[in-house]
Amino acid sequence: MLLSCVHLIRRPLQCIQPLLVLPSRSFMDLKALVSSLNDFASLSLAESWDNVGLLVEPSPPHTVSTLFLTNDLTEEVMQEALQKKADLILSYHPPIFRALKRITWKTWKERLVIRALEHRVGIYSPHTAYDAIPHGVNNWLAKGLGVCTTVPLHPSMAPSYPTEGTHRVEFSVDHTEHLETILSSMRGIPEISSLITLPSRAEGKEQTRVSLNCTQKALLEVVALLSRNSLLYHKTEIMLLQKPLLPHTGMGRLCTLSEPVSLSALTERIKSHLRLPYVRLALGTGKTLEAKVKVAAVCAGSGSSVLQGVEADLYLTGEMSHHEVLDAVAKGISVILCEHSNTERGFLSELRDMLATHLENKITIIVSERDRDPLQVV
């Protein structure tokens, strides 16, 4: 009986022992996480007027175990983030946009900053950088149209030039002695790069073709040097270098459907994709609900400036002004408006999965349950 009792005691202990071993909580340093977020979507793609990146930073060191995603950071959403022990809030719309001259308890945006710092929660906003990337908000919105090919309405340019400098200067020199004098002077000008010489022939004469890249500042000195020789100066070519376009990257999307679809059917697809019971529809002049849509121009949020002048059968966006809708309708373009954030918020679930992979599941990523569009039909 004694041996039997020993067995009865040992078996429960074997069951309890694994429960006492708790896994270590995974986390990332805030600076490393922000760097990874910037790699996911370069902030250089954001519009110049935008306010993106890390907007609120707790005093370092700061580690992040839980990343909280929201479209709009309201006070209600901030309370939810604190309850869920978030260490960093990724708010698609920047809660700090216009400059804050003071941080008091007077306005709701100031209170957001205060509560974030009091609870050591960072705030990061990508906004229009996520609009531009190939795997971003506008591509997600375009999926609501069905099978289609998409191109950016306003392509993004690379943040830097393919070579050093902003301008290329080319000219030809007849005499070797003259050439050495010019090249020696050129090499003394700062911010000149890619200075090369190539043999050439023009008008039956052997010449040397000189090519160089330079900055705007250096260009003034180059032109001043060449202008000392009027013949050389008049044969000089100056070209403005262009930053290359980034493939599949930019604001808005022009979507060509694989097959034309009636406006009525397309409206239902969009409502299903956005999980909305309604949208607002303006029929283009001469169009009906059974009119076929082959090309749609899409812009998440407020699309007026992005969609302006685009030829399409349909504009799909969150909001446009009354007169902008009238302009589109007069051109025979139908318009579907879904309210601003309704064209953005659904992307967050897709973003959560993409970030989990990008960050190698090192942290917990959750999507707000209280974030919602402020407008509703009653």
Side-chain angles (χ1 to χ4, degrees):
M1 292 297 294
L2 184 59
L3 289 175
S4 177
C5 290
V6 171
H7 286 302
L8 287 172
I9 293 172
R10 288 172 65 187
R11 285 172 185 160
L13 286 176
Q14 289 175 343
C15 295
I16 294 172
Q17 188 175 1
L19 298 176
L20 300 177
V21 180
L22 299 176
S24 59
R25 195 180 182 194
S26 58
F27 62 87
M28 292 182 69
D29 176 74
L30 177 62
K31 292 187 182 299
L33 176 54
V34 168
S35 178
S36 293
L37 290 174
N38 293 345
D39 289 339
F40 177 79
S42 173
L43 298 180
S44 65
L45 297 175
E47 295 288 88
S48 58
W49 47 261
D50 210 351
N51 189 33
V52 295
L54 186 62
L55 305 184
V56 175
E57 178 182 9
S59 58
H62 184 66
T63 57
V64 177
S65 295
T66 300
L67 175 62
F68 182 90
L69 309 182
T70 184
N71 199 76
D72 293 297
L73 183 56
T74 62
E75 290 189 277
E76 182 182 3
V77 172
M78 171 62 83
Q79 183 61 32
E80 179 192 9
L82 297 179
Q83 290 172 348
K84 294 182 176 178
K85 309 298 182 185
D87 305 294
L88 178 66
I89 297 171
L90 188 154
S91 176
Y92 168 75
H93 286 138
I96 303 173
F97 190 74
R98 296 181 180 86
L100 296 175
K101 295 186 177 181
R102 57 184 59 81
I103 305 295
T104 69
W105 203 249
K106 187 175 181 180
T107 69
W108 70 276
K109 290 196 173 184
E110 292 174 56
R111 291 195 292 272
L112 288 177
V113 176
I114 293 172
R115 297 201 71 191
L117 291 174
E118 285 180 341
H119 292 85
R120 293 188 56 75
V121 177
I123 300 175
Y124 178 96
S125 177
H127 201 201
T128 52
Y130 277 13
D131 291 348
I133 55 176
H135 48 291
V137 180
N138 280 307
N139 267 37
W140 168 81
L141 181 58
K143 291 178 182 179
L145 300 173
V147 180
C148 59
T149 58
T150 65
V151 294
L153 290 171
H154 301 278
S156 296
M157 290 188 294
S160 58
Y161 292 91
T163 59
E164 294 184 34
T166 58
H167 293 76
R168 176 167 294 164
V169 179
E170 294 185 358
F171 57 91
S172 295
V173 182
D174 293 336
H175 306 292
T176 305
E177 301 83 8
H178 195 197
L179 173 64
E180 289 305 319
T181 301
I182 293 175
L183 292 181
S184 177
S185 300
M186 291 288 183
R187 293 189 182 102
I189 300 176
E191 301 181 14
I192 282 183
S193 62
S194 304
L195 178 59
I196 60 173
T197 59
L198 294 170
S200 66
R201 188 176 182 85
E203 300 177 353
K205 295 180 180 180
E206 297 294 332
Q207 296 183 334
T208 300
R209 187 70 173 172
V210 180
S211 174
L212 62 90
N213 291 344
C214 64
T215 63
Q216 178 73 46
K217 179 182 177 182
L219 179 64
L220 299 176
E221 296 186 55
V222 171
V223 171
L225 177 64
L226 294 175
S227 64
R228 296 174 189 172
N229 184 318
S230 59
L231 183 61
L232 188 63
Y233 177 72
H234 289 300
K235 291 184 178 181
T236 298
E237 297 178 42
I238 302 175
M239 292 158 280
L240 176 64
L241 299 176
Q242 297 292 328
K243 296 178 181 179
L245 297 179
L246 296 175
H248 315 298
T249 306
M251 297 301 161
R253 294 294 184 270
L254 188 66
C255 310
T256 303
L257 280 68
S258 58
E259 294 195 8
V261 179
S262 72
L263 182 57
S264 176
L266 199 57
T267 301
E268 293 304 314
R269 285 185 188 179
I270 293 166
K271 289 162 62 177
S272 175
H273 182 63
L274 301 183
R275 299 181 180 180
L276 295 175
Y278 67 91
V279 293
R280 292 189 287 165
L281 170 64
L283 289 173
T285 300
K287 301 297 174 62
T288 69
L289 286 174
E290 298 310 310
K292 297 295 183 182
V293 175
K294 178 64 176 179
V295 178
V298 168
C299 182
S302 180
S304 300
S305 60
V306 175
L307 299 175
Q308 186 175 17
V310 175
E311 294 184 9
D313 302 312
L314 172 69
Y315 286 173
L316 170 61
T317 186
E319 59 179 329
M320 292 173 64
S321 76
H322 174 79
H323 295 287
E324 288 160 341
V325 172
L326 289 179
D327 286 342
V329 167
K331 297 173 184 175
I333 302 171
S334 298
V335 178
I336 292 180
L337 303 180
C338 310
E339 307 306 346
H340 189 114
S341 66
N342 289 336
T343 56
E344 305 160 337
R345 184 169 291 101
F347 171 68
L348 294 179
S349 296
E350 202 167 278
L351 175 65
R352 175 191 57 207
D353 298 337
M354 287 191 290
L355 286 181
T357 300
H358 180 72
L359 300 175
E360 300 176 340
N361 294 304
K362 292 179 181 178
I363 59 174
T364 300
I365 305 175
I366 56 179
V367 177
S368 172
E369 296 176 1
R370 297 182 187 174
D371 176 39
R372 62 184 180 275
D373 195 271
L375 293 173
Q376 54 184 310
V377 175
V378 295

